[in-house]
Amino acid sequence: NPNFSHLSLSVGRHLHRDQVQRIVKAATPTLVHLELVLQNESFDLAPIFTSPLVNLRHLTCISELSYIDVNNHIIPDYLANALKSMVELRTLEIGTRGYKDFAFIEQLPNLKALSITLPDRSHSTLLAHFHSLAFDLVSRLTQDRFDSITINAESNGFMPRPISNLAALSAACTRLGIDYSYNVL
């Protein structure tokens, strides 16, 4: 039974996911910092998050929403469901896969720093999803809710990321005194 407080794990195949699930489950009582590096956007990560990570303070889980999910109107919500048990979470770094909206932040009273990574995508349906997520986040922001919000947009190196208009998010953060940053990776 490992007593890990910090874990950084790579998930590249379904076999890796099963191993990661066993490690995370065994470390659940002591785990406060978890980073998952996902090497394939088609994974269902729900099995990794079956154990309630009630002591977790930092989570990095960057996985991209795929064209197939959006075209089939199936946006997996495994991460949003899992986050509800992470009541001690203070910092969260996520990608676009795993949540449909930001309703889960209502369940995370200690969350102060949110970082979102948007993949290099120009598909109009994915962009519409980004627009929707940004609008939903703005609608949930309140005074003293977050200390910082960071948007990381991946670029293919040849042209700037065709990012959705985040002016409303930037303006809301400024108005509420939230440190807002936008980075092109």
Side-chain angles (χ1 to χ4, degrees), residues 26-163:
T28 294
T30 57
L31 195 60
V32 295
H33 187 111
L34 176 62
E35 294 181 17
L36 294 177
V37 177
L38 306 171
Q39 300 172 355
N40 185 326
E41 64 186 51
S42 64
F43 281 112
D44 174 14
L45 296 179
I48 293 174
F49 295 104
T50 54
S51 299
L53 299 167
V54 294
N55 297 317
L56 202 64
R57 288 180 175 77
H58 175 85
L59 174 65
T60 297
C61 184
I62 298 176
S63 181
E64 299 176 2
L65 189 67
S66 72
Y67 295 118
I68 295 168
D69 295 329
V70 176
N71 287 337
N72 291 330
H73 306 288
I74 299 169
I75 300 172
D77 63 356
Y78 64 87
L79 189 54
N81 289 336
L83 286 169
K84 292 174 184 174
S85 73
M86 301 179 195
V87 293
E88 293 299 321
L89 205 63
R90 287 165 175 72
T91 61
L92 175 63
E93 298 178 47
I94 52 177
T96 53
R97 183 178 171 89
Y99 58 101
K100 299 175 184 178
D101 56 38
F102 288 95
F104 61 83
I105 68 172
E106 315 291 333
Q107 307 294 322
L108 301 171
N110 296 309
L111 187 65
K112 291 297 181 185
L114 177 63
S115 178
I116 305 163
T117 298
L118 305 177
D120 174 33
R121 299 285 190 239
S122 58
H123 192 274
S124 61
T125 312
L126 284 170
L127 290 176
H129 180 62
F130 299 154
H131 280 285
S132 174
L133 285 174
F135 179 76
D136 182 72
L137 180 56
V138 168
S139 72
R140 295 174 192 281
L141 293 179
T142 59
Q143 192 74 41
D144 301 323
R145 181 62 184 101
F146 290 105
D147 293 333
S148 67
I149 294 178
T150 302
I151 305 295
N152 297 306
E154 294 180 8
S155 173
N156 65 11
F158 297 106
M159 55 191 290
R161 162 88 175 90
I163 191 70

